[in-house]
Amino acid sequence: MADVSLPLIDPAGSSTTVPGDLLRLITCGSVDDGKSTLIGRLLFDTDSLTEDQRQRLARDSARLGAPEGELDYSLLLDGLEAEREQRITIDVAYRFLTTPRRKFIIADCPGHEQYTRNMVTGASMANAAVVLCDARYGVLTQTRRHAFIAALMGIRHVVLAVNKMDLVDFDADCFHAIASEFRSHAEQIELPHVTAIPLSARFGDNVFHRSARTPFYTGPTLLECLESVPSAPASVSSPFRLPVQWVARVGGNFRGYAGTIASGAVRPGMKVVNVHSGAVSEVRRLVEMDREREEAVAGEAVMIELSSEIDVARGDVLADAEAPPELADQFSAHVVWLHEQPMYAGRAYLFKFGAATVPGTITEIRYQIDVNTLAHVATRALHQNEVAQVHIALSRRIPFEPYAVNRFLGSCIIIDRLTNATVGAGMIEFALRRSANLHWQNLIVDKTARSALKGQRPAVIWFTGLSGSGKSTIANLVEQKLHAEGRHTYTLDGDNIRHGLSRDLGFTEADRVENIRRVAEAAKLFVDAGLIVLVSFISPYRADRDAARALVGADEFIEVFVDTPPEECERRDPKGLYRKARAGLLKNFTGVDAPYEPPEAPELTLQTLRTPAEELAEQVVSFLRSRGYLG
Amino acid sequence: MNAFRNNALKQLEDESIAIFREVAAEARNPVMLYSIGKDSSVLLHLARKAFYPAPLPFPLLHIDTKWKFREMIAFRDRLPERYGVRVIVYTNEEGLRQGITPFTHDPTTYTHIMKTEALKQALDRYKFDFAFGGARRDEEASRAKERIISVRNSNHAWDPRRQRPELWNLYNTRLGPGETARVFPLSNWTELDIWRYIAQENIEVVPLYFASERPVVERDGTLIMVDDDRFPLAPGEEVKLQRVRFRTLGCYPLTGAVLSDATSLADIIRETEESRFSERSGRVIDHDQPASMERKKREGYF
């Protein structure tokens, strides 16, 4: 095949001109405010729709009952089947709009109370927010909430879109009253830049086209306003910070430190410090595939080579040696809780700051902030969609800056150690001195807290089977494997227990029942301590094993049947017990003169005849892993 | 310098590179899905930039249905030598044995077996935990809500209600037992961004994107290129030489060509700007059922 030769680009051709910069914005409001209609209208009026999208819009509008000949722009935005049926937006959706001035990434956020988390998500990267309200109802609780979250997430430019002006006959007084009420709220929450625009998304007034029906309004249309909002915060003039994401090594001599610049600018020759170690070096080169760079600034993904070798790893921060950021491990921060499982002070979580993931704890919920009234409320737990001021204690110090100073050095996501879910979002206010944070309030140390700290789910693994079947051998191997991967375990073994806890018991049926009861109770305590407990007992009676199962939670009991035929156990006879029993020296010996009731539905059955113990132990470990016990 | 630094393409590039680095640093065994199309070309270019001067820290995986355009396969086969990358080619052999072809089976069945199932098999076989892909949010309505890192359960299924929120540039890459993730570094790119970037960076693409005289058959209003002698002509159908190009590349019997005179990147960009039909309308598979892409994704389609 012929080589691919790239056709030359006509440098004068207008079609190759690159768009301007990029603005990320969010839109907030409910379906009732006409938010989907507004975005649909923006896409339609800026000619961002393709012909087949237009055709589908016309078809769907007619099918779903829009007035004769009118387009229902909201239909453009419905992505998922379920919500198309229910006519609601349930998640953040991203839309793109390109005008000759710039490209827009619109995070479309729903307005329902239970979905604050979506707005927080959409707002985290946004430079501007469009908050919608219905001209007939004015500034509602929801409107205040949206403005507050925008301010909390560091958005400085907010557009209040007073929609449905057509339904109030484009009344100037109505618009001015709403705008002024919103402005006073914005002042209270320190939102610096507010633009209020009277518009009608349905008819297009002041969206893309200036409306003749609002002579009282002389400001920009929505699109003009969005085209003029500054796209990036002024972090270029701040000191240089580079969280290191990736260390590139080539051969023995090249080492490059890659990451996205969080603030400031970097040039060859600049002195930089690894904030963690204090080691200082000098930037030799800014490496790029096609060229070398003389300078790179905030927001750019770079690879830096240093003049002298210092220790730098992923998660470190390289900074201007003249003005490095502080290190701290305790913070006052705002947290937005994103998950259904509430947050309690004292629980262990992972905190991901930049490229560093650090274990830590929210030691104290100072107060919850009512997002509707801004009131401070005392609370012991933080539920989904709630915002609070908290204290965070990390297991090691990290370089940081307050969120208000630097979004990327002051933000973290909070990750549940067991489910791996992203459960919260954190924004640093300031570092705490150790002494300021010594008392832990609302500390609930329970089973969940203990096991979360260990990064595992507690359980009883109950090995049952005949004497000599291989229970203890396998259980020991399982424990070794778990221990090797840092799990917290404890083994209760028949022989050990009989030497201590059950020293007073014999081998009658009643004594056997009591023995198993004691073992089961002991196992339960260890589970409560967050451990993975391995119980290795003949435990011949089904009822006793079921009783042990009933003591712990439904998913905390794993019955493992070590299935070895009686003849084989007798052949192995590791302790010489079968011989003694056959000789009549041992009474009530299971499998000889006492019954064994095999499990009916064990979680696992291990056949020891064909498979080596090592492999069977591995089966148990993979079972634990696949069921999520190992975090 | 300033104009370059602030333009939208540079900002998109920076975001994509950061995603590559972050996932490569945290993944156990990552892979890049490579479909030979223009988005894959951009994806590969960005990946090379992300790690330069080090080599790519992951291989490329191509799911070969055996019905790709011949020019695509030739393009793919030159990659290792040209860029020093490792390319794994995987085909669902069981599907081949069952005789699944785009001419004998409906597009949904064919795509499911030869692409979706094949992909799952390959990910399972090589035990890849993170797979980079070139999907964009502007391609299709349900994609607009997909995260950049999309976690799939042990059956590779996607649950739109159980997605992790993604805040700032912080990606949660932790996976539970049996879970894998798809990663979409081009999420925020549009078709036009892709072409402008290809022009700006001089990125190689398969020549099928440029207009040329090609043998095509008109079938159900779609122009299908007769790429080899496996194409069964229906009664009354005739092969005509027409000046066409492709906006998207897939299996040749399922990929519609468009009449075009665009022979340069500048032409393509102009054509894309003025285009009246969205890109995926050239793909037969998206139309056979309403909301079909969302259904495919739930089943594990990339």
Side-chain angles (χ1 to χ4, degrees):
Chain A
M1 202 190 74
D3 216 316
V4 185
S5 58
L6 283 173
L8 284 173
I9 301 159
D10 168 17
S14 66
S15 57
T16 56
T17 48
V18 286
D21 61 358
L22 190 138
L23 184 85
R24 295 172 196 263
L25 67 111
I26 57 164
T27 52
C28 354
S30 73
V31 177
D32 303 333
D33 300 325
K35 176 172 58 78
S36 295
T37 307
L38 179 64
I39 301 171
R41 164 65 77 176
L42 268 173
L43 295 172
F44 191 86
D45 283 359
T46 54
D47 216 10
S48 303
L49 295 179
T50 54
E51 187 57 35
D52 51 339
Q53 284 171 328
R54 284 170 193 271
Q55 283 171 9
R56 187 180 304 167
L57 173 62
R59 207 169 55 231
D60 289 355
S61 296
R63 185 168 67 87
L64 293 170
E68 179 76 31
E70 212 181 283
L71 299 176
D72 180 353
Y73 298 102
S74 69
L75 295 173
L76 282 170
L77 304 188
D78 293 331
L80 303 188
E81 276 174 283
E83 61 192 88
R84 185 179 305 160
E85 299 310 319
Q86 295 164 26
R87 305 286 306 274
I88 52 161
T89 312
I90 56 165
D91 210 325
V92 189
Y94 295 88
R95 319 283 171 191
F96 309 109
L97 195 69
T98 305
T99 71
R101 295 282 296 277
R102 58 171 36 150
K103 168 169 172 148
F104 297 94
I105 298 180
I106 304 174
D108 180 8
C109 302
H112 314 289
E113 185 139 15
Q114 64 270 40
Y115 290 122
T116 294
R117 67 169 226 162
N118 294 334
M119 183 177 161
V120 167
T121 302
S124 68
M125 287 296 273
N127 307 114
V130 176
V131 174
L132 267 94
C133 70
D134 185 323
R136 290 171 298 172
Y137 309 124
V139 175
L140 298 178
T141 301
Q142 173 188 272
T143 321
R144 294 173 198 277
R145 180 167 71 234
H146 292 154
F148 169 70
I149 294 170
L152 178 74
M153 298 307 290
I155 293 175
R156 300 174 61 78
H157 295 267
V158 168
V159 179
L160 178 71
V162 183
N163 192 23
K164 305 195 184 180
M165 285 299 291
D166 50 303
L167 297 181
V168 294
D169 298 323
F170 295 92
D171 182 59
D173 292 342
C174 169
F175 168 72
H176 289 306
I178 294 171
S180 116
E181 187 183 351
F182 186 80
R183 282 212 172 83
S184 69
H185 179 65
E187 221 162 88
Q188 197 189 344
I189 58 177
E190 294 172 23
L191 257 180
H193 306 285
V194 172
T195 311
I197 305 175
L199 52 82
S200 164
R202 186 170 165 199
F203 298 106
D205 298 80
N206 290 333
V207 179
F208 180 73
H209 302 286
R210 183 163 296 278
S211 175
R213 300 192 278 187
T214 54
F216 58 87
Y217 177 74
T218 53
T221 64
L222 178 60
L223 196 69
E224 284 167 355
C225 177
L226 294 177
E227 282 186 327
S228 62
V229 168
S231 70
S235 59
V236 172
S237 52
S238 311
F240 170 68
R241 278 102 178 75
L242 176 73
V244 176
Q245 262 187 307
W246 172 269
V247 179
R249 290 186 176 80
V250 182
N253 37 37
F254 178 86
R255 223 186 267 185
Y257 303 104
T260 300
I261 301 175
S263 67
V266 62
R267 283 164 218 93
M270 182 175 179
K271 287 235 179 324
V272 292
V273 60
N274 178 353
V275 183
H276 253 122
S277 64
V280 175
S281 185
E282 194 181 287
V283 176
R284 174 186 287 160
R285 281 197 303 152
L286 303 179
V287 185
E288 216 165 276
M289 193 159 81
D290 309 314
R291 59 181 169 258
E292 280 197 23
R293 297 282 301 276
E294 283 309 307
E295 187 192 51
V297 301
E300 290 192 275
V302 292
M303 173 94 73
I304 287 178
E305 189 184 11
L306 300 179
S307 299
S308 56
E309 205 166 290
I310 58 171
D311 227 14
V312 182
R314 172 174 160 81
D316 288 345
V317 173
L318 290 174
D320 183 343
E322 305 293 316
E326 278 182 74
L327 284 163
D329 57 3
Q330 303 206 19
F331 305 98
S332 172
H334 283 118
V335 161
V336 182
W337 204 246
L338 306 172
H339 203 264
E340 292 159 5
Q341 293 288 330
M343 181 270 275
Y344 296 100
R347 289 260 160 93
Y349 296 99
L350 293 173
F351 296 77
K352 185 169 186 179
F353 285 89
T357 303
V358 186
T361 305
I362 291 167
T363 54
E364 184 184 348
I365 304 176
R366 300 272 297 160
Y367 52 80
Q368 188 200 324
I369 302 168
D370 184 321
V371 292
N372 298 323
T373 64
L374 309 184
H376 295 180
V377 186
T379 184
R380 294 170 58 84
L382 196 63
H383 297 91
Q384 190 170 29
N385 296 311
E386 290 178 348
V387 180
Q389 201 216 38
V390 304
H391 284 177
I392 293 173
L394 301 179
S395 67
R396 64 175 172 85
R397 297 196 303 162
I398 58 156
F400 79 98
E401 277 177 319
Y403 185 75
V405 173
N406 188 330
R407 253 188 186 184
F408 300 105
L409 248 57
S411 59
C412 68
I413 53 171
I414 305 172
I415 301 171
D416 186 281
R417 297 176 63 139
L418 281 180
T419 63
N420 296 322
T422 301
V423 290
M427 290 153 279
I428 293 178
E429 284 188 302
F430 50 84
L432 295 168
R433 298 230 321 260
R434 250 173 201 292
S435 56
N437 196 32
L438 274 182
H439 61 295
W440 286 22
Q441 283 183 6
N442 298 338
L443 185 59
I444 301 168
V445 183
D446 59 6
K447 179 159 67 181
T448 315
R450 293 184 199 102
S451 53
L453 195 59
K454 297 178 174 68
Q456 64 189 33
R457 260 169 60 202
V460 180
I461 312 173
W462 190 285
F463 293 84
T464 173
L466 294 170
S467 175
S469 58
K471 300 181 297 297
S472 298
T473 309
I474 298 169
N476 285 339
L477 286 170
V478 171
E479 185 169 30
Q480 283 167 21
K481 284 173 188 292
L482 293 177
H483 186 78
E485 41 173 282
R487 305 302 167 188
H488 300 254
T489 57
Y490 194 79
T491 295
L492 296 169
D493 183 85
D495 293 344
N496 299 343
I497 294 290
R498 285 231 170 236
H499 286 130
L501 185 62
S502 294
R503 197 168 48 192
D504 54 327
L505 299 177
F507 287 89
T508 63
E509 186 168 340
D511 278 1
R512 279 173 180 252
V513 171
E514 173 58 16
N515 186 37
I516 297 301
R517 189 193 69 78
R518 290 183 192 179
V519 171
E521 288 288 353
K524 179 189 170 183
L525 293 176
F526 285 122
V527 164
D528 198 52
L531 300 178
I532 296 174
V533 191
L534 298 96
V535 177
S536 168
F537 270 75
I538 298 174
S539 46
Y541 304 113
R542 219 169 270 146
D544 298 341
R545 297 191 302 261
D546 289 348
R549 184 188 286 272
L551 280 180
V552 293
D555 54 351
E556 288 175 344
F557 194 86
I558 300 158
E559 191 170 11
V560 180
F561 178 30
V562 182
D563 185 9
T564 308
E567 331 49 270
E568 172 66 12
C569 295
E570 192 159 351
R571 192 189 62 74
R572 291 179 189 167
D573 201 8
K575 298 172 197 155
L577 298 174
Y578 283 90
R579 244 178 308 123
K580 283 188 189 167
R582 291 286 176 207
L585 299 172
L586 270 181
K587 288 281 174 231
N588 299 323
F589 190 74
T590 304
V592 176
D593 56 348
Y596 177 80
E597 302 170 0
E600 278 170 344
E603 274 74 11
L604 270 176
T605 298
L606 305 177
Q607 313 262 5
T608 67
L609 268 190
R610 287 183 293 275
T611 317
E614 177 70 34
E615 217 170 286
L616 294 170
E618 197 51 51
Q619 283 180 26
V620 177
V621 175
S622 11
F623 178 87
L624 294 176
R625 188 166 290 121
S626 70
R627 300 297 166 95
Y629 288 98
L630 306 185
Chain B
M1 198 66 192
N2 244 329
F4 174 70
R5 175 190 296 160
N6 289 327
N7 91 44
L9 289 181
K10 177 67 168 77
Q11 288 172 277
L12 291 172
E13 177 192 82
D14 287 323
E15 180 184 68
S16 302
I17 286 175
I19 293 165
F20 268 116
R21 288 170 174 171
E22 187 64 17
V23 173
E26 300 212 322
R28 183 180 43 75
N29 189 19
V31 68
M32 187 179 122
L33 295 196
Y34 182 80
S35 71
I36 325 182
K38 61 184 188 303
D39 303 298
S40 284
S41 283
V42 168
L43 203 60
L44 176 58
H45 184 80
L46 290 165
R48 291 172 54 232
K49 276 198 157 186
F51 303 104
Y52 179 87
L56 283 198
F58 42 77
L60 274 51
L61 170 66
H62 178 235
I63 300 299
D64 194 344
T65 60
K66 301 291 185 188
W67 289 93
K68 299 293 171 190
F69 292 89
R70 284 175 299 161
E71 283 181 79
M72 292 173 72
I73 300 301
F75 188 90
R76 176 196 76 192
D77 290 345
R78 288 206 323 267
L79 289 178
E81 195 190 326
R82 182 153 302 212
Y83 300 120
V85 294
R86 186 159 81 89
V87 182
I88 298 170
V89 177
Y90 186 89
T91 299
N92 182 353
E93 296 293 339
E94 181 56 31
L96 276 191
R97 265 196 297 281
Q98 288 170 6
I100 310 288
T101 79
F103 292 119
T104 52
H105 293 73
D106 65 279
T108 309
T109 310
Y110 166 77
T111 305
H112 180 74
I113 294 175
M114 296 310 288
K115 290 172 83 175
T116 310
E117 281 304 313
L119 174 62
K120 292 188 205 172
Q121 288 170 5
L123 294 177
D124 289 345
R125 169 160 160 200
Y126 293 97
K127 299 197 178 348
F128 292 123
D129 54 350
F130 284 81
F132 297 100
R136 292 178 276 110
R137 285 172 175 154
D138 78 325
E139 282 177 85
E140 207 268 342
S142 82
R143 291 228 196 257
K145 307 193 174 188
E146 174 108 71
R147 300 291 191 260
I148 286 173
I149 296 188
S150 176
V151 178
R152 308 295 170 97
N153 67 18
S154 50
N155 298 317
H156 299 283
W158 178 70
D159 179 354
R161 283 167 199 272
R162 266 200 65 230
Q163 296 197 88
R164 292 173 182 169
E166 283 179 346
L167 296 104
W168 298 290
N169 54 350
L170 299 173
Y171 300 101
N172 177 354
T173 58
R174 295 173 67 84
L175 299 179
E179 287 178 345
T180 56
R182 311 287 194 269
V183 185
F184 303 111
L186 302 181
S187 288
N188 289 327
W189 296 59
T190 61
E191 186 184 14
L192 202 50
D193 294 328
I194 293 286
W195 280 119
R196 284 175 169 152
Y197 188 70
I198 287 171
Q200 177 189 295
E201 301 283 302
N202 243 356
I203 298 170
E204 261 193 303
V205 292
V206 179
L208 290 162
Y209 286 113
F210 300 101
S212 180
E213 297 274 325
R214 295 189 171 95
V216 292
V217 162
E218 187 173 343
R219 186 173 280 185
D220 304 327
T222 304
L223 293 173
I224 305 288
M225 179 170 157
V226 180
D227 195 48
D228 57 36
D229 53 16
R230 292 179 294 176
F231 194 107
L233 284 179
E237 281 182 344
E238 59 174 315
V239 183
K240 280 193 218 153
L241 269 186
Q242 289 196 279
R243 201 167 172 73
V244 296
R245 66 177 210 89
F246 294 87
R247 286 184 69 185
T248 172
L249 292 177
C251 298
Y252 86 78
L254 296 178
T255 309
V258 292
L259 293 172
S260 168
D261 288 317
T263 54
S264 69
L265 286 171
D267 291 342
I268 290 178
I269 291 168
R270 203 170 296 125
E271 196 182 279
T272 308
E273 282 175 334
E274 291 162 3
S275 170
R276 311 309 298 164
F277 280 90
S278 68
E279 173 188 22
R280 278 195 166 257
S281 62
R283 291 213 179 171
V284 182
I285 58 166
D286 286 352
H287 304 306
D288 41 55
Q289 285 167 18
S292 60
M293 178 60 83
E294 187 192 337
R295 192 161 295 128
K296 286 194 190 72
K297 279 169 59 177
R298 289 194 199 194
E299 290 165 358
Y301 182 74
F302 208 85

